[in-house]
Amino acid sequence: MTQPENEVGKTAMSVAGSLAMAQPGDLAALRRMTPETGAPLFWRLAARHDEIARAPERWMQIVRMIAILTPTGAPSPARSVQDDKRPLGAVLCDGGQAGHIDQPVLSEQRLARLLAARGNTRSDALERAVRMLARRGVKLNVVDLAWAVLNPAGSARIAQSYYQRLDQAAATKTEDVTP
């Protein structure tokens, strides 16, 4: 991993840990924040992380999405949505469900539109997908989520983990049917 990749990863994981320990009101403010307003906790995070301070508009999107995914309730490390073993693409496919899946949670068509979109359209599509995942209470690799915002041209990472999970689900279904 290069130095910028390390910094993005460390920052995204630190944000997830901080939001797990945030008060409910602070999380609510992060979920509602806009680029024009920000939120007090966001600005505290920006003061702690140079990576956030260098690109606050993009990191607002990332922090808002992590806040949307973070469950409500009392602050606790268990609330963290970070899980290294759950790539964003795989979670978009299975919605956090282990084992066999009948069909992807995010259809292949919606995934293709998300990956092809740019600018505000991509941000909106990604946030809609995150809101859908939040309703399922999933954990995922927040570094993948950060890169989905910071490097929209790097969609191969999301697509690869999505289709690996889809193929794995198909193989599991075949094994279940075979006597």
Side-chain angles (χ1 to χ4, degrees):
M1 231 183 245
T2 66
Q3 182 65 21
E5 288 174 341
N6 280 339
E7 290 306 312
V8 167
K10 288 178 188 175
T11 302
M13 288 188 288
S14 177
V15 165
S18 294
L19 298 191
M21 299 306 294
Q23 294 298 320
D26 288 331
L27 272 178
L30 289 173
R31 291 178 184 125
R32 290 188 309 266
M33 78 175 162
T34 65
E36 295 79 29
T37 62
L41 180 54
F42 173 79
W43 295 116
R44 284 197 300 271
L45 291 168
R48 289 183 207 145
H49 300 284
D50 291 339
E51 195 67 34
I52 295 173
R54 277 193 286 274
E57 294 85 13
R58 296 181 102 189
W59 277 95
M60 274 188 196
Q61 295 170 358
I62 296 164
V63 171
R64 184 176 53 247
M65 286 188 254
I66 295 172
I68 289 166
L69 289 165
T70 302
T72 57
S76 162
R79 277 197 323 175
S80 176
V81 296
Q82 165 60 18
D83 185 348
D84 287 340
K85 294 177 180 72
R86 299 294 299 147
L88 175 59
V91 176
L92 288 171
C93 181
D94 66 23
Q97 177 182 332
H100 171 71
I101 55 172
D102 289 324
Q103 65 183 28
V105 171
L106 185 75
S107 71
E108 291 181 78
Q109 290 175 330
R110 285 187 62 198
L111 176 71
R113 283 194 303 265
L114 171 88
L115 298 178
R118 295 293 177 260
N120 289 338
T121 304
R122 182 182 176 99
S123 297
D124 292 345
L126 189 56
E127 188 168 320
R128 277 193 305 277
V130 164
R131 288 183 185 283
M132 181 236 350
L133 294 173
R135 288 189 293 273
R136 295 172 165 272
V138 302
K139 291 184 182 254
L140 53 78
N141 188 328
V142 294
V143 179
D144 281 357
L145 181 59
W147 279 115
V149 173
L150 295 172
N151 184 18
S155 297
R157 184 177 189 163
I158 298 169
Q160 181 180 14
S161 60
Y162 179 95
Y163 284 103
Q164 282 176 339
R165 179 62 178 106
L166 191 60
D167 289 348
Q168 176 192 18
T172 304
K173 184 176 183 177
T174 303
E175 289 172 9
D176 290 345
V177 174
T178 306

